[in-house]
C-alpha cells in the first residue's frame, strides 16, 4: 500500500438496483488502502428498496465514510453522474454503478500508485470480468500482460469502448469543466474517456479488479 493519505472519492450512481447494491457498496468498504475514502451514493429516485437498503450500510474501516443522497425526481444517468462528481473534493475519483462491484481489495492502491507514477495521466483503467446470465464471462478488454498508454486518438481507434466504467480512477481536476457534448451524449462513458484522454494519457493496467 502507498504511504499517501489523500482523500479518494468514490461516486456510485444507482437506480432500482436493490438486488445488487449491497455487494456494490461492500466492495468499496473492503478496499485495503491507507487513503481516506469518501463514498458518495446518488440514488436517482428509485421506486424499489434500493434507498432503504443503502440506509442500513455502514463502513467497517475508520478511514471510510459514506454519504447517501436520494433525488426527489429521476434525473437520468448523465445528470445524476454530474451532480455526484461536483460534490467531490479529492485528487482522485473512482466510479461505480449500482449493479457493478470490485473484486480486488487493492484496486484503489494499485491505481493510485499508477497515477502517481504517471502525473500527466488523466485516468487509468483495468481488466474486468463481464458477467453473463449470472456467471463470469469474458475478460475485458484483455489487451495483454503489460501496462499501456492511450491518447484520445489511439483510444478512439479501438473497437468500441475498452475502458469499463467500473474500473476507472480519474484525476479529479480533469472533471471540473465537462463540456455539453460529453454530458449530453448517449454514450456518456465513451465520450468521457475520449475527453479525458485528450487532456492526458489513459493508463491501462492488465489486472482484473472488478465484475460487471
Amino acid at each position: 500500500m502507498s504511504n499517501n493519505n489523500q482523500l479518494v472519492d468514490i461516486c456510485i450512481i444507482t437506480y432500482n438496483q436493490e438486488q445488487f447494491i449491497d455487494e456494490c457498496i461492500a466492495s468499496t468498504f473492503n478496499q485495503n488502502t491507507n487513503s481516506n475514502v469518501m463514498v458518495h451514493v446518488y440514488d436517482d429516485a428509485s421506486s424499489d428498496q434500493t434507498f432503504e437498503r443503502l440506509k442500513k450500510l455502514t463502513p467497517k474501516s475508520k478511514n471510510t465514510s459514506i454519504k447517501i443522497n436520494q433525488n426527489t425526481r429521476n434525473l437520468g444517468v448523465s445528470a445524476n453522474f454530474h451532480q455526484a462528481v461536483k460534490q467531490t473534493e479529492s485528487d482522485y475519483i473512482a466510479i461505480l454503478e449500482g449493479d457493478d462491484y470490485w473484486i480486488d481489495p487493492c484496486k484503489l492502491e494499485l491505481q493510485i500508485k499508477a497515477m502517481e507514477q504517471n502525473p500527466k495521466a488523466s485516468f487509468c483503467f483495468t481488466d474486468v470480468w463481464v458477467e453473463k446470465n449470472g456467471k463470469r464471462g469474458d475478460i475485458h478488454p484483455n489487451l495483454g500482460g503489460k501496462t499501456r498508454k492511450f491518447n484520445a486518438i489511439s483510444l478512439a481507434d479501438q473497437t468500441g469502448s475498452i475502458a469499463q466504467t467500473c474500473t476507472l480512477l480519474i484525476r479529479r481536476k480533469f472533471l471540473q469543466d465537462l463540456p455539453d457534448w460529453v454530458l449530453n451524449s448517449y454514450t456518456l462513458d465513451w465520450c468521457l474517456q475520449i475527453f479525458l484522454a485528450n487532456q492526458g494519457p489513459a493508463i491501462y493496467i492488465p489486472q482484473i479488479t472488478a465484475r460487471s
Side-chain angles (χ1 to χ4, degrees):
M1 294 186 296
S2 71
N3 294 321
N4 67 72
N5 287 305
Q6 81 264 17
L7 177 69
V8 177
D9 284 309
I10 302 170
C11 291
I12 299 174
I13 56 173
T14 184
Y15 175 69
N16 285 354
Q17 293 167 325
E18 62 180 5
Q19 68 269 46
F20 306 111
I21 199 63
D22 288 24
E23 192 165 24
C24 173
I25 301 297
S27 73
T28 68
F29 290 169
N30 292 334
Q31 284 296 296
N32 185 17
T33 176
N34 285 332
S35 298
N36 294 314
V37 177
M38 174 63 73
V39 182
H40 301 265
V41 187
Y42 277 79
D43 175 66
D44 201 11
S46 291
S47 58
D48 65 0
Q49 294 297 305
T50 297
F51 187 65
E52 296 304 315
R53 298 188 74 89
L54 284 168
K55 292 191 293 185
K56 299 177 182 179
L57 302 176
T58 56
K60 299 177 182 179
S61 172
K62 292 182 179 179
N63 69 335
T64 302
S65 303
I66 185 169
K67 290 183 179 179
I68 302 170
N69 308 272
Q70 185 179 46
N71 299 333
T72 56
R73 61 182 179 86
N74 185 268
L75 301 179
V77 173
S78 181
N80 197 30
F81 164 76
H82 195 209
Q83 71 170 355
V85 167
K86 288 192 293 185
Q87 297 303 312
T88 61
E89 299 178 345
S90 68
D91 292 336
Y92 301 112
I93 298 174
I95 303 174
L96 266 176
E97 293 176 288
D99 56 350
D100 297 330
Y101 61 95
W102 297 337
I103 60 175
D104 185 346
C106 296
K107 175 191 183 292
L108 290 180
E109 284 296 297
L110 172 73
Q111 293 186 289
I112 290 170
K113 182 178 179 181
M115 294 295 280
E116 291 177 339
Q117 292 175 343
N118 296 273
K120 294 184 179 180
S122 61
F123 74 96
C124 62
F125 64 101
T126 73
D127 286 327
V128 58
W129 282 107
V130 179
E131 189 171 289
K132 295 182 179 179
N133 300 320
K135 297 181 180 180
R136 287 184 176 181
D138 296 333
I139 301 172
H140 181 79
N142 197 19
L143 301 177
K146 65 179 182 178
T147 301
R148 295 176 58 179
K149 291 184 180 181
F150 294 87
N151 58 27
I153 294 176
S154 59
L155 195 63
D157 197 40
Q158 303 300 306
T159 303
S161 174
I162 62 171
Q164 198 83 6
T165 301
C166 61
T167 74
L168 303 185
L169 186 74
I170 304 169
R171 205 178 301 275
R172 187 179 69 91
K173 68 178 184 179
F174 295 115
L175 290 172
Q176 298 308 293
D177 297 299
L178 291 176
D180 288 342
W181 68 266
V182 171
L183 294 173
N184 295 334
S185 172
Y186 180 72
T187 54
L188 171 64
D189 52 353
W190 187 80
C191 288
L192 175 64
Q193 293 163 24
I194 299 302
F195 169 76
L196 291 171
N198 195 48
Q199 316 303 310
I203 309 296
Y204 163 69
I205 304 171
Q207 184 164 322
I208 303 167
T209 67
R211 190 165 177 174
S212 177

